[in-house]
Amino acid sequence: MGMSNLTRLSEFILLGLSSHPEEQKPLFVLFLIMYLVTLMGNLLIILAIRSDPQLQNPMYFFLSVLSFTDICYTTVIVPKMLLNFLSETKTISYNECLAQMYFFLAFGNMDSYLLAAMAIDRYVAICNPFHYVTVMNHRRCVLLLAALTDFSYLHSLLHVLLVSRLTFCASNIIHHFFCDVNPVLKLACSSTSVNRVVAMTEGLASVMAPFGCIVISYLRILIAVLKIPSASGKCKAFSTCSSHLTVVTLFYGSISYVYFQPLSSYSVKDRIATVIYTVLTSMLNPFIYSLRNKDMKQGLEKLISRIKSHMDSLSTANSMKICGP
């Protein structure tokens, strides 16, 4: 399967994080735990927000969507990754590879846009608190979410269509643990100049636009907070932003390291950095937002309390059935 062109190419081989057989099972266990924690943590965030009336505002609306996106984001990558840890062939079909690339880019961009939407929400809440209810009403939030979703899927579709027109004749071995754009482009024997131009223009703009929005929002927030006379007021304002800033730093820091460099220099370090924004950030988001946010912590406590009481009532009902006449 080494020499092939696009008409005969039916599959790729994902090299993964490590090619050493003795490391496959420990990596499987590690990423399985991370995946389960990601699913459980983000699901609890969604349920807590949906079930608590005090969390029915734009900030937590976007957070619940972010948690759902993170679940989808990791599910696109990790299950296939886990399967390959236990498989000797580690193959992925050509169509499956393009599908994985499409949804990875779509959900990745959704994460980026949602972080920007949350920054705008914090800006309006702190800098224009009296107009917050009218500016960030539910209808506008839903329309904003719809627009972000459309942009994300169109961006993803463009890149996948450009990759689908390439021919592959040197190798079918992808030096990565999933079908990311750069490692796939490195295998192409036809010209990738159009792909690179689009990546450096449209692709860069789709990343830098939300990031620029975040930076501008927080600069305005910083100016507004510095004008608050009391120290307690400043701390309270900053506390509402600290969780979001932590996630932004993790997400954009790792993305910048991976993508803002020449295609030829893509290496093992980039695979490790990719784990940060594809798996680690999605896993840590629920902890960051719940541990550093009083309202979110209270919402989770209420949810867990309701789950426990429901389980207790089920247990009692079952006991009565067993002990009954």
Side-chain angles (χ1 to χ4, degrees):
M1 193 71 190
M3 297 295 291
S4 173
N5 64 26
L6 187 59
T7 58
R8 288 178 290 160
L9 184 64
S10 61
E11 63 183 18
F12 291 105
I13 297 173
L14 292 167
L15 196 61
L17 287 173
S18 172
S19 57
H20 301 292
E22 67 276 7
E23 295 178 355
Q24 301 305 303
K25 288 185 178 178
L27 285 171
F28 171 84
V29 173
L30 173 63
F31 280 91
L32 177 61
I33 293 171
M34 292 174 71
Y35 181 56
L36 292 176
V37 171
T38 300
L39 294 181
M40 187 63 69
N42 283 290
L43 185 59
L44 284 173
I45 291 288
I46 295 169
L47 292 174
I49 291 171
R50 295 300 180 191
S51 62
D52 192 342
Q54 291 185 341
L55 300 180
Q56 302 303 310
N57 61 54
M59 176 184 175
Y60 296 110
F61 167 74
F62 287 121
L63 178 56
S64 66
V65 178
L66 180 66
S67 292
F68 174 76
T69 304
D70 281 340
I71 290 173
C72 298
Y73 195 34
T74 52
T75 301
V76 168
I77 299 167
V78 178
K80 182 64 177 178
M81 184 183 180
L82 292 173
L83 185 63
N84 284 343
F85 281 137
L86 302 179
S87 172
E88 292 184 5
T89 56
K90 305 183 187 301
T91 58
I92 183 170
S93 70
Y94 176 76
N95 290 331
E96 189 182 355
C97 183
L98 290 185
Q100 188 182 59
M101 185 185 297
Y102 174 79
F103 287 108
F104 159 74
L105 290 172
F107 290 124
N109 273 276
M110 274 298 293
D111 260 11
S112 180
Y113 293 140
L114 284 167
L115 290 174
M118 292 170 77
I120 294 171
D121 173 79
R122 291 300 84 205
Y123 160 71
V124 177
I126 294 172
C127 299
N128 296 290
F130 298 110
H131 298 94
Y132 180 74
V133 176
T134 54
V135 173
M136 299 298 293
N137 60 60
H138 183 70
R139 181 176 176 274
R140 287 184 179 176
C141 288
V142 171
L143 288 174
L144 178 59
L145 177 61
L148 299 182
T149 303
D150 289 341
F151 280 129
S152 298
Y153 281 95
L154 287 173
H155 163 86
S156 178
L157 182 62
L158 173 62
H159 284 275
V160 171
L161 287 175
L162 288 174
V163 170
S164 68
R165 57 180 282 278
L166 299 175
T167 56
F168 301 88
C169 56
S171 172
N172 69 332
I173 300 174
I174 299 175
H175 292 265
H176 214 327
F177 56 88
F178 72 101
C179 289
D180 198 0
V181 177
N182 284 351
V184 173
L185 290 182
K186 289 185 75 172
L187 302 182
C189 57
S190 57
S191 174
T192 60
S193 57
V194 175
N195 300 72
R196 283 180 284 178
V197 168
V198 171
M200 292 304 293
T201 53
E202 189 275 340
L204 188 62
S206 70
V207 174
M208 293 308 297
F211 181 71
C213 183
I214 292 169
V215 171
I216 292 170
S217 295
Y218 275 107
L219 285 175
R220 298 289 297 272
I221 289 170
L222 180 62
I223 293 169
V225 170
L226 290 176
K227 293 179 181 178
I228 298 174
S230 66
S232 61
K234 290 178 181 178
C235 289
K236 185 178 180 180
F238 277 126
S239 67
T240 65
C241 305
S242 59
S243 301
H244 184 252
L245 277 172
T246 304
V247 174
V248 166
T249 303
L250 274 172
F251 185 79
Y252 281 102
S254 53
I255 280 184
S256 300
Y257 179 84
V258 173
Y259 291 105
F260 294 168
Q261 59 177 312
L263 182 61
S264 58
S265 65
Y266 208 83
S267 65
V268 177
K269 290 181 179 179
D270 299 293
R271 280 183 255 168
I272 297 170
T274 305
V275 171
I276 296 175
Y277 72 84
T278 56
V279 183
L280 189 63
T281 303
S282 297
M283 183 187 74
L284 293 178
N285 278 358
F287 296 99
I288 293 170
Y289 280 107
S290 60
L291 294 176
R292 300 174 67 93
N293 187 302
K294 184 180 177 182
D295 292 336
M296 193 69 246
K297 193 184 297 184
Q298 289 175 347
L300 285 170
E301 288 173 354
K302 290 178 184 177
L303 175 65
I304 293 169
S305 178
R306 281 195 294 270
I307 292 172
K308 284 182 178 179
S309 62
H310 181 65
M311 295 298 290
D312 290 340
S313 62
L314 286 176
S315 178
T316 303
N318 289 332
S319 298
M320 291 175 68
K321 286 180 182 180
I322 294 170
C323 300

